[in-house]
Amino acid sequence: MAEIKVPELAESITEGTIAQWLKQPGDTVEKGEFIVELETDKVNVEVISEEAGVVQELLFAEGDTVEVGQVIAVVGEGSGATKNPVEADPAESDAPVKNVEVAPATTAPVEKEESSSTDRTIASPAARKLAREKGIDLQAVSTVDPMGRVRVQDVSAHTAAPKQAPAAAPVAKTTSAPQEDDGRTTREKMSRRRQTIASRLLEVRQSTAMLTTFNEIDMTNVMALRTRKKDKFFDDSGVRLGFMSFFTKAVVAALKKYPYVNSQLDGDYIVKNNFYDIGIAVSTEGGLVVPIVRDADRKNFAEIEGNIGELAKKARDNKLSLSDMSGGSFTITNGGVFGSLMSTPILNGTQVGILGMHTIQKRPIAVGNEIEIRPMMYVALSYDHRVIDGKDSVGFLKTVKELLENPEDLLLNS
């Protein structure tokens, strides 16, 4: 008999949510095989079984909150169903299944009732998570995958599809809205990650003396340099030249000049970081995540662009690990990709500074005694005034501006 416990996740993570049971009571599990997917504040983690045997009991249902070290399932000796219905190989579907006596579990009836309509459908964990949050029956979702696998895009398309019958009863099944709402509102439970984002952002606002200073950057020269070099850059490195590498390099140079912006508070101490791990905010369906480009000061433009591309893909595919997002000394967030003209970014965790990029917009600008139309970008630095004074914050942003308006200078600071 072996107990399946919630493993140590990360220093700052003490609990998680059962996102999906990958095995059911009576299923055979091999040593090292995944048995459950946990949703944490940052990433989803799949937990393995340390012993081979038969799943005897699931102590929690999907959606339950569990703590690190807590026993969540029991695996006993013997053999049972060879595969979970979700993972069954069509070639083995007619294989005989041995009858196994399964220890009673208080949560098993609920588990079967909740999962009976979806366990027969092949779906990615991300699709199951989205369907569960929106109260959608996966069997009702149409998919274009030739193997019949339901993806996140299919669930999203199902959500956006017009309802066939306004008066149909299933409305009560897909939402937790009270009867008196009469279909005019939809109540959707926040995911664990969204709850964590909300509480941490509120905590930052309440526990820091956050201020924001703004500036604007004439993007003419950096855009011209990018246009001239992007084809050769791609041929030489295999990655595309974007603006994020320019901003990352400019930020690193500014952090070296103003080290307090690259620090954090620890009680009565200011801890100045002598490394430059730059967080790049990425928007995903589950919320904003901030993977880290490690040692950005030691990387060239191609390496930075490659890192950012890999991390962004992992974020969209829900493949980020805790190590991808742990630490970080400063963060860059780009609201411009959504068309934001100006905003006030909120500090990330214990960091004391975050740079907000915005959309590039052509505006009339005084150049000498002439008025010219130039591509301009507003940038914002939010900072903790307990650590950073106005002089450093304005100087930091001015340095970023000057380097980007004279991008050749970035080579001297790389």
Coordinates of all heavy atoms in Angstrom, one line a residue, residues 48-126:
I48 N 3.4 12.0 -10.0 CA 3.6 10.6 -10.3 C 3.4 9.7 -9.1 O 3.4 10.1 -8.0 CB 5.0 10.3 -10.9 CG1 6.1 10.6 -9.8 CG2 5.3 11.2 -12.1 CD1 7.5 10.2 -10.1
S49 N 3.1 8.4 -9.4 CA 3.0 7.4 -8.4 C 4.4 6.8 -8.2 O 5.1 6.4 -9.1 CB 2.1 6.3 -8.8 OG 2.1 5.2 -7.9
E50 N 4.8 6.7 -6.9 CA 6.1 6.1 -6.6 C 6.1 4.6 -6.6 O 7.2 3.9 -6.5 CB 6.6 6.6 -5.2 CG 6.8 8.1 -5.1 CD 8.0 8.6 -6.0 OE1 8.8 7.7 -6.4 OE2 8.1 9.8 -6.2
E51 N 4.9 4.0 -6.6 CA 4.8 2.5 -6.6 C 3.9 2.1 -7.7 O 2.9 2.8 -8.1 CB 4.2 2.0 -5.3 CG 5.1 2.4 -4.1 CD 6.4 1.7 -4.0 OE1 6.5 0.6 -4.7 OE2 7.4 2.2 -3.4
A52 N 4.1 0.8 -8.2 CA 3.2 0.2 -9.2 C 2.1 -0.5 -8.4 O 2.3 -1.0 -7.3 CB 3.9 -0.7 -10.1
G53 N 0.9 -0.5 -9.0 CA -0.2 -1.2 -8.4 C -1.6 -0.8 -8.9 O -1.7 -0.4 -10.1
V54 N -2.6 -0.8 -8.1 CA -3.9 -0.4 -8.5 C -4.4 0.7 -7.6 O -4.2 0.7 -6.4 CB -4.9 -1.6 -8.3 CG1 -6.4 -1.2 -8.6 CG2 -4.5 -2.8 -9.2
V55 N -5.0 1.7 -8.2 CA -5.5 2.9 -7.5 C -6.7 2.4 -6.6 O -7.7 1.9 -7.1 CB -6.0 4.0 -8.5 CG1 -6.6 5.1 -7.7 CG2 -4.9 4.4 -9.3
Q56 N -6.5 2.4 -5.3 CA -7.5 2.0 -4.4 C -8.5 3.0 -4.0 O -9.7 2.8 -3.9 CB -6.8 1.4 -3.1 CG -5.9 0.3 -3.3 CD -6.7 -1.0 -3.7 OE1 -7.8 -1.2 -3.2 NE2 -6.1 -1.9 -4.5
E57 N -8.0 4.3 -3.9 CA -8.9 5.3 -3.3 C -8.4 6.7 -3.7 O -7.2 7.0 -3.7 CB -8.9 5.2 -1.8 CG -9.9 6.1 -1.1 CD -10.0 5.9 0.4 OE1 -9.2 5.1 0.9 OE2 -10.8 6.5 1.0
L58 N -9.3 7.6 -4.1 CA -9.0 9.0 -4.4 C -9.7 9.7 -3.2 O -10.9 9.7 -3.0 CB -9.6 9.4 -5.7 CG -9.2 8.6 -7.0 CD1 -9.8 9.2 -8.2 CD2 -7.7 8.6 -7.1
L59 N -8.9 10.5 -2.5 CA -9.4 11.1 -1.3 C -9.9 12.5 -1.5 O -10.5 13.1 -0.6 CB -8.2 11.2 -0.2 CG -7.6 9.9 0.2 CD1 -6.5 10.1 1.2 CD2 -8.7 8.9 0.7
F60 N -9.7 13.0 -2.7 CA -10.2 14.4 -3.1 C -10.8 14.3 -4.5 O -10.4 13.5 -5.3 CB -9.1 15.4 -3.0 CG -8.6 15.7 -1.6 CD1 -7.6 14.9 -1.1 CD2 -9.2 16.6 -0.7 CE1 -7.1 15.1 0.2 CE2 -8.7 16.8 0.5 CZ -7.7 16.0 1.0
A61 N -11.7 15.2 -4.7 CA -12.4 15.3 -6.0 C -11.7 16.5 -6.8 O -11.0 17.3 -6.2 CB -13.9 15.6 -5.9
E62 N -11.9 16.5 -8.1 CA -11.4 17.6 -8.9 C -12.0 18.9 -8.5 O -13.2 19.0 -8.2 CB -11.7 17.3 -10.4 CG -11.0 16.1 -11.0 CD -11.3 15.9 -12.5 OE1 -12.1 16.7 -13.0 OE2 -10.8 15.0 -13.1
G63 N -11.2 19.9 -8.3 CA -11.6 21.2 -7.8 C -11.3 21.4 -6.4 O -11.4 22.5 -5.9
D64 N -10.9 20.3 -5.6 CA -10.6 20.5 -4.2 C -9.2 21.1 -4.0 O -8.3 20.8 -4.8 CB -10.7 19.1 -3.5 CG -12.1 18.6 -3.3 OD1 -13.0 19.4 -3.5 OD2 -12.3 17.4 -2.9
T65 N -9.1 21.8 -3.0 CA -7.8 22.4 -2.6 C -7.0 21.5 -1.7 O -7.6 21.0 -0.7 CB -8.0 23.8 -1.9 OG1 -8.6 24.7 -2.8 CG2 -6.6 24.4 -1.5
V66 N -5.8 21.2 -2.0 CA -4.9 20.3 -1.2 C -3.6 21.0 -0.8 O -3.2 21.9 -1.6 CB -4.7 19.0 -2.0 CG1 -6.0 18.2 -2.1 CG2 -4.0 19.2 -3.3
E67 N -3.0 20.6 0.3 CA -1.8 21.2 0.7 C -0.6 20.3 0.5 O -0.8 19.1 0.4 CB -1.9 21.5 2.2 CG -3.0 22.5 2.6 CD -3.1 22.8 4.1 OE1 -2.4 22.1 4.8 OE2 -3.9 23.7 4.4
V68 N 0.6 20.9 0.5 CA 1.8 20.1 0.3 C 2.0 19.1 1.4 O 1.8 19.5 2.6 CB 3.0 21.1 0.2 CG1 4.3 20.3 0.3 CG2 3.0 22.0 -1.0
G69 N 2.3 17.9 1.0 CA 2.4 16.8 2.0 C 1.2 16.1 2.4 O 1.2 15.0 3.0
Q70 N 0.0 16.5 1.9 CA -1.3 15.9 2.2 C -1.4 14.6 1.3 O -1.1 14.6 0.1 CB -2.4 16.9 1.9 CG -3.7 16.5 2.5 CD -4.7 17.7 2.6 OE1 -4.5 18.7 1.9 NE2 -5.7 17.6 3.4
V71 N -2.0 13.6 1.9 CA -2.3 12.4 1.1 C -3.5 12.6 0.3 O -4.6 13.0 0.8 CB -2.5 11.2 2.1 CG1 -2.8 9.9 1.3 CG2 -1.2 10.9 2.9
I72 N -3.4 12.3 -1.0 CA -4.6 12.6 -1.9 C -5.1 11.3 -2.5 O -6.2 11.3 -3.1 CB -4.2 13.6 -3.0 CG1 -3.0 13.2 -3.8 CG2 -4.0 15.0 -2.3 CD1 -2.7 14.1 -4.9
A73 N -4.3 10.2 -2.5 CA -4.8 9.0 -3.1 C -4.0 7.8 -2.5 O -2.9 8.0 -1.9 CB -4.6 9.0 -4.6
V74 N -4.5 6.6 -2.7 CA -3.9 5.4 -2.2 C -3.8 4.4 -3.3 O -4.7 4.1 -4.0 CB -4.7 4.8 -1.0 CG1 -4.1 3.5 -0.5 CG2 -4.8 5.8 0.1
V75 N -2.6 3.8 -3.5 CA -2.3 2.8 -4.5 C -2.0 1.5 -3.7 O -1.1 1.5 -2.8 CB -1.1 3.2 -5.4 CG1 -0.8 2.1 -6.3 CG2 -1.5 4.5 -6.2
G76 N -2.7 0.4 -4.1 CA -2.5 -0.9 -3.4 C -1.9 -1.9 -4.4 O -1.7 -1.6 -5.6
E77 N -1.6 -3.1 -3.9 CA -1.0 -4.1 -4.8 C -2.1 -4.7 -5.6 O -3.3 -4.6 -5.4 CB -0.4 -5.2 -3.9 CG 0.8 -4.7 -3.0 CD 1.3 -5.8 -2.2 OE1 0.8 -6.9 -2.2 OE2 2.4 -5.6 -1.5
G78 N -1.6 -5.4 -6.7 CA -2.6 -6.0 -7.6 C -2.6 -5.4 -9.0 O -1.7 -4.6 -9.4
S79 N -3.5 -5.8 -9.8 CA -3.7 -5.3 -11.2 C -5.1 -5.0 -11.4 O -6.0 -5.7 -10.9 CB -3.1 -6.3 -12.2 OG -3.9 -7.5 -12.1
G80 N -5.4 -4.0 -12.2 CA -6.8 -3.6 -12.5 C -6.9 -3.2 -13.9 O -6.3 -3.8 -14.8
A81 N -7.8 -2.2 -14.2 CA -8.0 -1.7 -15.5 C -6.6 -1.3 -16.1 O -5.9 -0.6 -15.4 CB -9.0 -0.6 -15.6
T82 N -6.3 -1.7 -17.3 CA -5.0 -1.4 -17.9 C -4.8 0.1 -18.2 O -3.7 0.6 -18.2 CB -4.8 -2.2 -19.1 OG1 -5.8 -1.9 -20.1 CG2 -4.7 -3.7 -18.8
K83 N -5.9 0.8 -18.5 CA -5.8 2.2 -18.9 C -7.0 3.0 -18.5 O -8.1 2.5 -18.3 CB -5.6 2.3 -20.4 CG -4.2 1.9 -20.9 CD -4.0 2.4 -22.3 CE -2.6 1.9 -22.8 NZ -1.7 3.0 -22.8
N84 N -6.7 4.2 -18.2 CA -7.8 5.2 -18.0 C -8.6 5.3 -19.4 O -7.9 5.3 -20.4 CB -7.2 6.5 -17.6 CG -8.3 7.5 -17.2 OD1 -9.3 7.7 -17.9 ND2 -8.0 8.2 -16.1
P85 N -9.9 5.4 -19.4 CA -10.6 5.6 -20.6 C -10.1 6.7 -21.5 O -10.2 6.7 -22.7 CB -12.1 5.8 -20.2 CG -12.2 5.1 -18.8 CD -10.8 5.3 -18.2
V86 N -9.6 7.8 -20.8 CA -9.1 8.9 -21.6 C -7.9 8.5 -22.4 O -7.7 9.0 -23.5 CB -8.8 10.1 -20.7 CG1 -8.2 11.2 -21.4 CG2 -10.0 10.5 -19.9
E87 N -7.1 7.6 -21.8 CA -5.8 7.3 -22.4 C -5.8 5.9 -23.2 O -4.8 5.5 -23.7 CB -4.7 7.2 -21.4 CG -4.6 8.4 -20.5 CD -3.7 8.2 -19.3 OE1 -3.6 7.0 -18.9 OE2 -3.1 9.2 -18.8
A88 N -7.0 5.3 -23.3 CA -7.0 4.0 -23.9 C -6.6 3.9 -25.3 O -6.9 4.8 -26.1 CB -8.5 3.4 -23.8
D89 N -5.8 2.9 -25.6 CA -5.4 2.6 -27.0 C -6.4 1.9 -27.7 O -6.9 0.9 -27.2 CB -4.1 1.8 -26.9 CG -3.4 1.7 -28.3 OD1 -4.1 1.7 -29.3 OD2 -2.2 1.5 -28.3
P90 N -6.9 2.4 -28.9 CA -7.9 1.7 -29.6 C -7.6 0.2 -29.9 O -8.5 -0.6 -29.9 CB -8.0 2.5 -30.9 CG -7.5 3.8 -30.6 CD -6.4 3.6 -29.6
A91 N -6.3 -0.1 -30.0 CA -6.0 -1.5 -30.3 C -6.2 -2.4 -29.1 O -6.3 -3.6 -29.2 CB -4.5 -1.6 -30.7
E92 N -6.3 -1.8 -27.9 CA -6.4 -2.6 -26.7 C -7.9 -2.5 -26.1 O -8.1 -3.0 -25.0 CB -5.5 -2.1 -25.6 CG -4.0 -2.2 -26.1 CD -3.1 -1.6 -25.1 OE1 -3.6 -1.1 -24.1 OE2 -1.9 -1.6 -25.3
S93 N -8.8 -1.9 -26.9 CA -10.1 -1.6 -26.3 C -10.9 -2.9 -26.0 O -11.8 -2.9 -25.2 CB -10.9 -0.7 -27.3 OG -11.0 -1.4 -28.5
D94 N -10.6 -4.0 -26.7 CA -11.3 -5.2 -26.5 C -10.6 -6.2 -25.5 O -11.1 -7.3 -25.3 CB -11.5 -6.0 -27.8 CG -12.4 -5.2 -28.8 OD1 -13.2 -4.4 -28.3 OD2 -12.1 -5.3 -30.0
A95 N -9.5 -5.7 -24.9 CA -8.8 -6.6 -24.0 C -9.6 -6.8 -22.7 O -10.3 -5.9 -22.3 CB -7.5 -6.0 -23.6
P96 N -9.6 -8.1 -22.2 CA -10.4 -8.4 -21.0 C -9.8 -7.6 -19.8 O -8.6 -7.3 -19.7 CB -10.2 -9.9 -20.8 CG -8.9 -10.2 -21.5 CD -8.8 -9.2 -22.7
V97 N -10.7 -7.2 -18.9 CA -10.3 -6.5 -17.7 C -10.6 -7.3 -16.5 O -11.7 -7.8 -16.3 CB -11.1 -5.1 -17.6 CG1 -10.8 -4.4 -16.4 CG2 -10.8 -4.3 -18.9
K98 N -9.7 -7.4 -15.6 CA -9.9 -8.2 -14.4 C -10.7 -7.5 -13.4 O -10.6 -6.3 -13.3 CB -8.5 -8.6 -13.8 CG -7.6 -9.4 -14.7 CD -6.3 -9.7 -14.0 CE -5.4 -10.5 -14.9 NZ -4.1 -10.8 -14.2
N99 N -11.5 -8.2 -12.7 CA -12.3 -7.6 -11.6 C -11.5 -7.4 -10.4 O -10.8 -8.4 -10.0 CB -13.5 -8.5 -11.3 CG -14.5 -8.6 -12.5 OD1 -14.7 -7.6 -13.2 ND2 -15.1 -9.7 -12.6
V100 N -11.5 -6.3 -9.8 CA -10.7 -6.0 -8.7 C -11.6 -5.4 -7.6 O -12.4 -4.5 -7.9 CB -9.6 -5.0 -9.0 CG1 -8.8 -4.6 -7.8 CG2 -8.7 -5.6 -10.1
E101 N -11.4 -5.8 -6.4 CA -12.2 -5.2 -5.3 C -11.5 -3.9 -4.9 O -10.3 -3.9 -4.7 CB -12.2 -6.2 -4.1 CG -13.1 -7.4 -4.3 CD -13.2 -8.3 -3.1 OE1 -12.7 -7.8 -2.0 OE2 -13.8 -9.3 -3.2
V102 N -12.2 -2.8 -4.9 CA -11.7 -1.5 -4.6 C -12.2 -1.0 -3.3 O -13.4 -1.1 -3.0 CB -12.1 -0.5 -5.7 CG1 -11.5 0.8 -5.4 CG2 -11.7 -1.0 -7.1
A103 N -11.3 -0.6 -2.5 CA -11.6 -0.1 -1.2 C -12.6 1.1 -1.3 O -12.4 1.9 -2.2 CB -10.4 0.4 -0.4
P104 N -13.6 1.2 -0.5 CA -14.6 2.3 -0.6 C -14.0 3.6 -0.4 O -13.1 3.8 0.5 CB -15.7 1.9 0.4 CG -14.9 1.1 1.4 CD -13.9 0.3 0.7
A105 N -14.4 4.6 -1.2 CA -13.9 6.0 -1.0 C -15.0 6.9 -0.9 O -16.0 6.8 -1.6 CB -13.0 6.3 -2.2
T106 N -14.9 7.8 0.1 CA -16.1 8.7 0.3 C -16.3 9.7 -0.8 O -17.4 10.1 -1.0 CB -15.8 9.6 1.6 OG1 -14.5 10.2 1.4 CG2 -15.7 8.7 2.8
T107 N -15.2 9.9 -1.6 CA -15.4 10.9 -2.7 C -15.6 10.2 -4.0 O -15.8 10.9 -5.0 CB -14.1 11.8 -2.8 OG1 -13.0 10.9 -3.0 CG2 -13.9 12.6 -1.5
A108 N -15.5 8.8 -4.1 CA -15.6 8.2 -5.3 C -16.9 8.4 -6.1 O -16.9 8.6 -7.3 CB -15.3 6.7 -5.2
P109 N -18.1 8.3 -5.4 CA -19.3 8.5 -6.1 C -19.4 9.9 -6.7 O -19.8 10.1 -7.8 CB -20.4 8.3 -5.0 CG -19.7 7.5 -4.0 CD -18.3 7.9 -4.0
V110 N -18.9 10.9 -6.0 CA -18.9 12.2 -6.5 C -18.0 12.3 -7.8 O -18.4 12.9 -8.8 CB -18.5 13.3 -5.5 CG1 -18.4 14.7 -6.1 CG2 -19.4 13.2 -4.3
E111 N -16.8 11.7 -7.6 CA -15.9 11.7 -8.7 C -16.5 11.1 -10.0 O -16.3 11.7 -11.1 CB -14.6 11.0 -8.3 CG -13.5 11.0 -9.3 CD -12.9 12.4 -9.4 OE1 -13.2 13.2 -8.5 OE2 -12.2 12.6 -10.4
K112 N -17.2 9.9 -9.8 CA -17.7 9.3 -11.0 C -18.9 10.1 -11.6 O -19.0 10.2 -12.8 CB -18.2 7.9 -10.6 CG -17.1 6.9 -10.4 CD -17.7 5.5 -10.1 CE -16.6 4.5 -9.8 NZ -15.9 4.2 -11.0
E113 N -19.7 10.7 -10.7 CA -20.8 11.5 -11.2 C -20.3 12.7 -12.0 O -20.8 13.1 -13.0 CB -21.6 12.0 -10.0 CG -22.8 12.8 -10.4 CD -23.6 13.2 -9.2 OE1 -23.4 12.7 -8.1 OE2 -24.5 14.1 -9.4
E114 N -19.2 13.4 -11.5 CA -18.7 14.6 -12.1 C -18.0 14.3 -13.4 O -18.0 15.1 -14.3 CB -17.8 15.4 -11.2 CG -18.5 15.9 -10.0 CD -17.5 16.7 -9.1 OE1 -16.3 16.6 -9.3 OE2 -18.0 17.4 -8.2
S115 N -17.3 13.1 -13.5 CA -16.4 12.9 -14.6 C -17.0 11.9 -15.6 O -16.4 11.7 -16.7 CB -15.1 12.3 -14.1 OG -15.3 11.1 -13.5
S116 N -18.2 11.4 -15.4 CA -18.7 10.3 -16.3 C -19.0 10.9 -17.7 O -18.8 10.2 -18.7 CB -20.0 9.8 -15.7 OG -21.0 10.8 -15.6
S117 N -19.4 12.1 -17.8 CA -19.7 12.7 -19.1 C -18.5 13.2 -19.9 O -18.6 13.5 -21.1 CB -20.7 13.8 -19.0 OG -20.1 14.9 -18.2
T118 N -17.3 13.3 -19.2 CA -16.2 13.9 -19.9 C -15.0 12.9 -20.0 O -14.2 13.1 -20.9 CB -15.7 15.1 -19.1 OG1 -15.3 14.7 -17.8 CG2 -16.8 16.2 -19.1
D119 N -15.0 11.9 -19.2 CA -13.8 11.0 -19.2 C -13.7 10.1 -20.5 O -12.7 9.7 -20.8 CB -13.9 10.0 -18.0 CG -13.3 10.7 -16.7 OD1 -12.8 11.8 -16.9 OD2 -13.4 10.1 -15.7
R120 N -14.9 10.0 -21.2 CA -14.8 9.2 -22.4 C -14.3 10.1 -23.6 O -14.1 9.6 -24.7 CB -16.2 8.6 -22.7 CG -16.6 7.6 -21.8 CD -17.9 6.9 -22.2 NE -19.0 7.8 -22.2 CZ -19.8 8.1 -21.2 NH1 -19.6 7.4 -20.0 NH2 -20.8 8.9 -21.2
T121 N -14.2 11.4 -23.4 CA -13.8 12.3 -24.4 C -12.3 12.5 -24.3 O -11.8 12.8 -23.2 CB -14.5 13.6 -24.3 OG1 -15.9 13.4 -24.3 CG2 -14.1 14.6 -25.4
I122 N -11.6 12.4 -25.4 CA -10.1 12.7 -25.4 C -9.9 14.2 -25.5 O -10.4 14.9 -26.4 CB -9.4 12.0 -26.6 CG1 -9.7 10.5 -26.6 CG2 -8.0 12.3 -26.6 CD1 -9.2 9.8 -27.8
A123 N -9.3 14.8 -24.5 CA -9.1 16.2 -24.4 C -7.8 16.5 -23.7 O -7.3 15.8 -22.9 CB -10.2 16.9 -23.7
S124 N -7.2 17.6 -24.1 CA -5.9 18.1 -23.5 C -6.3 18.6 -22.0 O -7.4 19.0 -21.8 CB -5.3 19.2 -24.3 OG -6.1 20.4 -24.2
P125 N -5.3 18.5 -21.1 CA -5.6 19.1 -19.8 C -6.0 20.5 -19.8 O -6.9 20.9 -19.0 CB -4.2 18.9 -19.1 CG -3.5 17.8 -19.8 CD -4.0 17.9 -21.2
A126 N -5.4 21.3 -20.6 CA -5.9 22.7 -20.7 C -7.3 22.9 -21.2 O -8.1 23.7 -20.7 CB -4.9 23.5 -21.6

